[in-house]
């Protein structure tokens, strides 16, 4: 199953957010999207998930525009975890995950024991089974984020889109969740803030700047000191290992020059 973006453009409030963005996602890969705040990552993810329609260009799923697929058909193929997704409904943690089964239900396919088993497994995988009876509003931000991941896993779509999936999580859960996603037999596209997470888990990385993709390739190819300086304004050393992997070590910025004190004349 293939997902592609061709010449996408998107504007909001008179400001161009995305400009002529094209991206082909390879089946079975873990593709990371990185870039500074405001570079267009979240807008690109929403367009590729079909949440928004592009003002120019097209997103295709298996060669057909997303607009040619029904909402339920898209939901059976693409699971999307948004950066900020909340609810005011009084639902339990388990009920939040059960929502992932909605695209598979209908008049002829009611809830079954198979659905229960899928939800049970999703809760276990994100270490939230013991919280299944808790009300949503009593959970921490990190716990809610893990449930969003569980809902997406319960959806059992072959393509998983994640927008800042490690928000609100402690470092242990950040690593374990990305490893969990990596181990799934899925095509994954994830917008990530942490460059070392991108280096650790991604097969390829797309770098965004000013609403465009300015680099695309393997972590070792893309994560270069000069490019990171140009895009993020940081000074780094990139350490490489014998397996072709890399690790980014940040340098502390140079101290700013001391301001001259103006002394009033007597």
């Amino acid at each position: 199953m293939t997902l592609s973006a061709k010449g996408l453009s998107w504007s909001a409030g008179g400001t161009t957010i995305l400009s002529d963005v094209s991206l082909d996602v390879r089946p079975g890969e873990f593709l990371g999207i990185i870039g500074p705040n405001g570079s267009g990552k979240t807008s690109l993810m929403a367009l590729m998930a079909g949440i928004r329609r592009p003002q120019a260009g097209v997103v295709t799923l298996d060669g057909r525009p997303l607009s040619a697929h029904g909402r339920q058909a898209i939901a059976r193929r693409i699971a999307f975890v948004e950066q900020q997704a909340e609810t005011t409904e009084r639902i339990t943690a388990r009920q939040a995950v059960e929502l992932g089964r909605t695209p598979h239900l209908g008049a002829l396919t009611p809830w079954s024991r198979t659905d229960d088993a899928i939800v049970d497994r999703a809760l276990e995988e994100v270490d939230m089974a013991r919280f299944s009876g808790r009300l949503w509003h009593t959970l921490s931000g990190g716990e809610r984020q893990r449930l969003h991941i569980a809902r997406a896993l319960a959806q059992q779509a072959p393509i998983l889109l994640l927008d800042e999936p490690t928000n609100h999580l402690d470092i242990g859960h950040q690593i374990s969740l990305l490893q969990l996603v990596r181990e799934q037999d899925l095509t994954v596209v994830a917008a990530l803030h942490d460059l070392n997470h991108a280096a650790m888990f991604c097969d390829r990385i797309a770098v965004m700047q000013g609403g465009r993709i300015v680099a695309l390739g393997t972590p070792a190819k893309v994560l270069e000191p000069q490019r990171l300086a140009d895009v993020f304004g940081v000074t780094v050393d990139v350490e490489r290992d014998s397996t072709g992997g890399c690790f980014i070590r940040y340098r502390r910025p140079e101290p700013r020059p001391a301001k001259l004190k103006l002394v009033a004349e007597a």
Side-chain angles (χ1 to χ4, degrees):
M1 188 163 291
T2 58
L3 182 66
S4 297
K6 304 293 184 185
L8 298 185
S9 294
W10 171 263
S11 299
T15 300
T16 298
I17 308 299
L18 295 174
S19 180
D20 194 26
V21 172
S22 296
L23 183 65
D24 292 321
V25 184
R26 297 171 180 170
E29 78 170 332
F30 192 131
L31 174 65
I33 300 178
I34 64 173
N37 291 341
S39 61
K41 301 187 299 298
T42 292
S43 295
L44 176 58
M45 298 292 287
L47 292 174
M48 295 186 74
I51 302 300
R52 296 175 179 170
R53 290 195 174 189
Q55 294 161 341
V58 63
V59 177
T60 61
L61 179 63
D62 283 344
R64 297 175 60 210
L66 279 184
S67 57
H69 298 265
R71 287 303 314 164
Q72 188 175 37
I74 293 174
R76 288 175 177 171
R77 293 164 174 81
I78 301 175
F80 181 36
V81 177
E82 299 180 69
Q83 187 177 150
Q84 298 291 339
E86 291 300 334
T87 180
T88 57
E89 300 293 329
R90 287 182 64 82
I91 61 175
T92 65
R94 182 183 181 83
Q95 289 170 331
V97 178
E98 288 176 347
L99 292 173
R101 301 303 301 155
T102 303
H104 304 279
L105 303 177
L108 300 179
T109 52
W111 191 272
S112 68
R113 291 182 179 178
T114 298
D115 297 299
D116 278 325
I118 290 169
V119 171
D120 287 341
R121 183 166 64 251
L123 284 164
E124 290 285 353
E125 286 180 327
V126 301
D127 192 27
M128 286 294 291
R130 64 188 185 279
F131 295 93
S132 62
R134 287 269 299 275
L135 288 173
W136 180 265
H137 72 274
T138 68
L139 300 167
S140 70
E143 290 162 348
R144 294 179 186 182
Q145 189 69 0
R146 283 188 275 161
L147 290 172
H148 285 311
I149 301 289
R151 175 194 52 77
L153 294 177
Q155 197 169 329
Q156 291 194 319
I159 299 174
L160 177 59
L161 305 184
L162 304 168
D163 187 15
E164 309 285 356
T166 56
N167 270 3
H168 309 297
L169 300 182
D170 60 62
I171 187 63
H173 282 111
Q174 289 177 25
I175 299 296
S176 63
L177 274 177
L178 289 173
Q179 180 64 23
L180 169 65
V181 170
R182 174 78 194 189
E183 292 172 348
Q184 304 298 309
D185 185 21
L186 298 172
T187 299
V188 180
V189 183
L192 300 170
H193 257 315
D194 192 305
L195 302 184
N196 279 311
H197 287 170
M200 289 171 65
F201 294 102
C202 296
D203 299 303
R204 290 192 302 155
I205 297 173
V207 183
M208 296 196 70
Q209 183 179 29
R212 295 178 180 271
I213 293 178
V214 297
L216 176 64
T218 63
K221 179 180 178 181
V222 166
L223 299 175
E224 298 177 338
Q226 188 58 56
R227 177 172 289 119
L228 299 182
D230 293 341
V231 174
F232 293 95
V234 294
T235 303
V236 302
D237 295 312
V238 179
E239 301 178 1
R240 306 185 187 280
D241 59 33
S242 58
T243 66
C246 61
F247 174 82
I248 297 163
R249 188 180 300 279
Y250 296 92
R251 294 187 190 177
R252 181 180 296 177
E254 294 293 330
R256 297 182 181 182
K259 293 183 179 180
L260 295 176
K261 294 182 179 181
L262 298 179
V263 180
E265 293 184 3

